[in-house]
Amino acid sequence: MLKLMQNEWMKLWSKKASWMMVFLLVLILFASAAITKYVNSTANEGIEESWQDVTAAQLEANQAILMNPNLSDTQKDYYTEQVAIAEYRLANDVQPFEFTSMQQSVLNTHEMLSLVTLFTVIIAAGITASEFSQGTIKMLLTRPVKRWKVLTSKYLTTMVFAVLLSIITLLATALAGLIFFGIGEGTYLEWNGSRVVEGSYWLEAVKFSILSFASVWIIGTFAFMLGTVFRSSSLAIGLSIFLMFTGIQAVFLLSNYEIVKYYLFTHTDLTQFYTGFMLIPDITMAMSLTVLFVYFLLFLGISYWTFSKRDVTA
Amino acid sequence: MNGKPIVRLQNLSKTIGNKKIIKNLNLDLYPGQITGFLGPNGAGKTTTIRMMVGLMQPTSGDVLIDGQSIKTNFEESIQKVGVIVENPELYKYMSGYKNLLHFSRMHKGIPKQRINEVVRQVGMENRIHEKVGSYSLGMRQRLGLAQALLHKPQFLILDEPTNGLDPAGIREFRQYLQKVASENGVAVFVSSHLLSEIELLCDRIAVIQNGELIDIKNVNELHHSQYYIQAEPLELAEEVLAGIGFSLARQDKGLVIDTEEQHIPGAIQMLVSAGVKIYAVQPYRATLEDQFLEMTGGGQIAQTHAK
């Protein structure tokens, strides 16, 4: 299996498009940091606002939200923690990170992972489909290797690529933050279950990136399935990206029906359990993971079934 | 011949929808022998070959390679097979060497030096590190052969291998295949539309039509001794020759008779003394094309050439 993955890896990086993706990813991350710096310096001219004012305003807003009787338990916990942290900051004079600081950029890394989803979809859709369109599938499947092994090597390679892009995203964001903003003032605080303590923003960034990776993973798997079943990468890419953008909207349309709980895009954003903003209030992490896993099995099951049964006529 | 067959097709059948594409094909292939696979378009050549290499599932029947079933022991049986299905489709964005490296990793125990050995064998040392996209068709064909020979297969299967090669390329390719067959005892199975090519290359010919194997012949059997006699009046000549027991057939302005060299002077004497005017006597060889047309009933050959 390692040799097969080595093959896929070699083919992947022999294509200029893959290098282009990495280049684009880094370029976009640097550009967005540069734009943020520019916009921030022009828009905030003459506005003098201390962090105390901002934190106090947030504290007030969060307390107001907590009054809402419709909050789920997850949300209640989240806002209670936020209130505790804000009170601690004000009482002990502990400043949060400035908005334009390397640390805050790192904390926001996960927001940029939709780029990784985009690139992963392109690779996942093409990795099997391109073998069919080039005709190389005939060379690939007349080897003493069972078909499911070939497909597994392709799937794993796609996922390794996705993880690699995520790591590049995290590192490039940090580097861009360092170059454009520098290390800013402030301390990262978190609730350890009983009290407010100082925490590592790196760990927090990695945690959020892993949560966001669930979306990369499941949409990548979806694109992989389409590419394998339809043998057309353009169809697979188009459909996956269309769903990536419209899928979430459909959650709101479906929100009054029970079925929304089993709908894939209700669950793709796992960070919702840690940001207070939930698409559907009464879902839990365990439920989301279960639904995602069932979809994952379904997508892969269809891929393997069609790939190993198909008569190759290309 | 040569003892045990290395490849056996056993009642191989394929049904797509409700159409029977391949009907109960039985065929044995032997080590060191080159078998040509002929048939008009749509006769089922490509389907048969795809079933032999596991690209398509037989509806019923089986293919045994060295005793191992392609259906149940895919990995064991296919590792003895080298395949070129139509024009070798390789990864254009990688060098020839990386392509070979890629395929060598899919077999067990192919050392790096084997790659260099095969590259030398097909004479590609100078350009192996260039991208396949920059190769000519002839070069690609050679690389295709190299990838098929990497794992020293006992059975080589080729679908339309000379498509698009120039005459020099075809000749080189033919000599190469014959060398592999005779020196390494490899069984070779070649499908092609180019009848003259098959005639030069193969020891044996299998003809398929409408999914059925209609004939298997050894090539030297095809060339039994025949003579063409152009004479006048034809009816008299016919009468005389039939009278002394020659089997004959009319052809253009003369007769084709089945006979050996030593009987010719006698036959001429008989004809002359009977008052027949003889214009020409020459050895006659039916081309494979004639025989092929005869076997498959003609009609579809025009289509075959059109491809």
Side-chain angles (χ1 to χ4, degrees):
Chain A
M1 183 53 69
L2 222 56
K3 279 185 170 181
L4 292 180
M5 284 183 68
Q6 226 179 330
N7 273 345
E8 294 304 326
W9 199 244
M10 177 173 80
K11 285 186 267 183
L12 183 64
W13 293 109
S14 296
K15 290 181 187 165
K16 286 201 189 79
S18 316
W19 291 99
M20 209 60 206
M21 284 180 202
V22 175
F23 174 73
L24 267 178
L25 180 68
V26 174
L27 188 75
I28 292 172
L29 292 172
F30 273 78
S32 70
I35 291 167
T36 308
K37 184 184 169 80
Y38 174 76
V39 169
N40 209 55
S41 64
T42 48
N44 289 359
E45 247 168 59
I47 301 174
E48 282 295 325
E49 203 177 27
S50 71
W51 67 266
Q52 282 92 347
D53 297 337
V54 177
T55 307
Q58 277 172 356
L59 176 61
E60 220 169 287
N62 286 343
Q63 278 166 334
I65 292 172
L66 270 174
M67 297 297 176
N68 184 341
N70 295 330
L71 284 188
S72 70
D73 290 346
T74 318
Q75 283 170 309
K76 249 181 240 162
D77 290 347
Y78 171 78
Y79 287 111
T80 315
E81 282 170 24
Q82 289 306 305
V83 166
I85 290 172
E87 281 170 346
Y88 183 93
R89 284 194 190 283
L90 292 172
N92 298 291
D93 198 28
V94 181
Q95 187 184 346
F97 291 131
E98 294 168 74
F99 178 64
T100 49
S101 66
M102 184 269 245
Q103 296 96 317
Q104 191 58 42
S105 320
V106 169
L107 276 175
N108 294 341
T109 301
H110 65 98
E111 291 167 9
M112 302 308 281
L113 281 187
S114 54
L115 281 172
V116 175
T117 312
L118 188 73
F119 293 140
T120 303
V121 160
I122 295 173
I123 293 296
I127 198 161
T128 311
S130 68
E131 300 274 1
F132 279 96
S133 57
Q134 299 159 11
T136 43
I137 190 77
K138 291 176 286 190
M139 296 282 183
L140 202 62
L141 295 185
T142 51
R143 306 285 151 185
V145 176
K146 289 212 174 83
R147 289 190 184 185
W148 68 265
K149 289 184 191 162
V150 173
L151 198 65
T152 307
S153 72
K154 287 188 176 296
Y155 182 72
L156 291 179
T157 303
T158 310
M159 287 303 138
V160 172
F161 178 79
V163 170
L164 180 72
L165 284 194
S166 306
I167 293 171
I168 291 176
T169 307
L170 188 63
L171 296 181
T173 308
L175 191 62
L178 198 62
I179 291 171
F180 290 104
F181 311 131
I183 294 176
E185 301 268 312
T187 311
Y188 179 71
L189 294 179
E190 64 184 11
W191 181 257
N192 74 351
S194 52
R195 62 199 178 84
V196 175
V197 291
E198 198 174 317
S200 158
Y201 66 93
W202 278 106
L203 270 183
E204 185 71 2
V206 169
K207 175 178 139 191
F208 268 83
S209 296
I210 291 172
L211 291 170
S212 296
F213 191 77
S215 158
V216 179
W217 164 62
I218 203 75
I219 296 175
T221 307
F222 180 70
F224 183 79
M225 172 189 74
L226 293 183
T228 307
V229 172
F230 296 116
R231 290 165 291 167
S232 152
S233 54
S234 42
L235 180 71
I237 293 171
L239 209 55
S240 306
I241 291 177
F242 175 75
L243 277 177
M244 189 174 124
F245 288 118
T246 56
I248 302 264
Q249 316 298 321
V251 174
F252 298 107
L253 295 177
L254 294 171
S255 58
N256 291 327
Y257 307 97
E258 178 68 15
I259 195 160
V260 77
K261 288 186 189 166
Y262 308 103
Y263 177 61
L264 176 62
F265 288 94
T266 311
H267 304 281
T268 46
D269 180 14
L270 291 182
T271 61
Q272 62 182 321
F273 301 107
Y274 299 94
T275 56
F277 177 75
M278 290 176 74
L279 293 166
I280 302 296
D282 50 354
I283 54 172
T284 63
M285 183 67 141
M287 193 173 158
S288 288
L289 285 176
T290 311
V291 171
L292 287 179
F293 193 67
V294 169
Y295 274 97
F296 162 75
L297 288 182
L298 180 75
F299 293 161
L300 271 198
I302 294 172
S303 308
Y304 276 94
W305 190 77
T306 52
F307 190 73
S308 48
K309 286 277 168 274
R310 159 170 294 138
D311 279 347
V312 178
T313 52
Chain B
M1 72 177 267
N2 292 351
K4 268 173 58 186
I6 177 91
V7 181
R8 316 196 69 161
L9 309 192
Q10 296 180 326
N11 291 319
L12 196 65
S13 301
K14 177 77 183 176
T15 310
I16 295 178
N18 48 18
K19 200 171 164 235
K20 274 200 141 184
I21 311 272
I22 303 292
K23 299 161 196 161
N24 288 323
L25 227 59
N26 286 291
L27 184 64
D28 288 348
L29 303 174
Y30 298 89
Q33 197 180 44
I34 304 183
T35 305
F37 195 35
L38 288 176
N41 273 352
K45 292 194 299 291
T46 300
T47 308
T48 307
I49 284 180
R50 295 215 162 155
M51 285 195 282
M52 289 171 79
V53 296
L55 288 176
M56 285 178 138
Q57 279 277 348
T59 310
S60 65
D62 204 351
V63 177
L64 301 182
I65 293 161
D66 205 13
Q68 304 268 19
S69 159
I70 198 96
K71 281 160 96 175
T72 52
N73 291 326
F74 178 72
E75 292 184 352
E76 290 78 5
S77 60
I78 202 75
Q79 70 187 9
K80 299 185 174 120
V81 186
V83 188
I84 303 181
V85 184
E86 285 167 271
N87 290 330
E89 316 271 12
L90 298 145
Y91 300 101
K92 293 197 178 74
Y93 48 82
M94 294 200 296
S95 69
Y97 187 82
K98 278 192 172 175
N99 268 282
L100 292 180
L101 183 66
H102 173 268
F103 292 122
S104 76
R105 284 194 190 128
M106 298 185 80
H107 292 275
K108 282 191 192 87
I110 297 184
K112 287 242 163 73
Q113 74 224 39
R114 173 67 188 158
I115 300 180
N116 299 328
E117 200 178 302
V118 173
V119 169
R120 228 175 303 120
Q121 251 181 331
V122 297
M124 285 193 59
E125 300 98 319
N126 295 331
R127 297 192 55 194
I128 196 67
H129 290 290
E130 287 172 35
K131 284 204 170 134
V132 172
S134 71
Y135 288 2
S136 66
L137 188 60
M139 298 283 289
R140 250 178 268 172
Q141 203 67 256
R142 285 194 209 189
L143 189 61
L145 196 59
Q147 65 79 25
L149 293 171
L150 260 183
H151 51 292
K152 299 184 177 161
Q154 295 171 30
F155 172 46
L156 205 54
I157 188 164
L158 308 112
D159 191 8
E160 312 276 356
T162 50
N163 255 1
L165 278 188
D166 57 19
I170 292 180
R171 184 173 169 163
E172 193 184 320
F173 197 75
R174 183 205 315 145
Q175 287 169 344
Y176 199 83
L177 281 184
Q178 282 168 335
K179 198 175 129 201
V180 171
S182 62
E183 285 178 12
N184 308 343
V186 173
V188 183
F189 192 55
V190 191
S191 95
S192 181
H193 286 307
L194 299 175
L195 298 165
S196 54
E197 184 48 40
I198 288 279
E199 201 172 8
L200 287 172
L201 174 67
C202 300
D203 307 315
R204 202 167 69 133
I205 288 167
V207 181
I208 185 175
Q209 188 178 27
N210 297 326
E212 281 171 295
L213 208 55
I214 55 173
D215 210 349
I216 304 175
K217 272 187 180 165
N218 287 327
V219 167
N220 44 20
E221 229 173 79
L222 290 169
H223 299 147
H224 60 272
S225 179
Q226 283 185 316
Y227 283 85
Y228 174 76
I229 298 178
Q230 194 184 332
E232 229 179 47
L234 214 49
E235 292 74 23
L236 185 59
E238 218 168 0
E239 206 175 292
V240 171
L241 291 172
I244 48 176
F246 286 116
S247 67
L248 46 78
R250 280 201 186 201
Q251 170 106 10
D252 299 329
K253 282 188 278 176
L255 301 166
V256 174
I257 58 174
D258 293 349
T259 187
E260 302 299 322
E261 203 178 8
Q262 66 263 28
H263 301 306
I264 292 295
I268 293 174
Q269 229 159 34
M270 296 281 284
L271 287 172
V272 172
S273 57
V276 178
K277 287 181 225 161
I278 299 174
Y279 294 94
V281 177
Q282 63 199 42
Y284 179 79
R285 228 179 95 173
T287 62
L288 184 59
E289 186 172 275
D290 294 329
Q291 305 197 19
F292 178 76
L293 287 171
E294 198 184 310
M295 283 188 266
T296 59
Q300 296 173 66
I301 195 70
Q303 209 184 337
T304 308
H305 279 316
K307 190 175 177 181

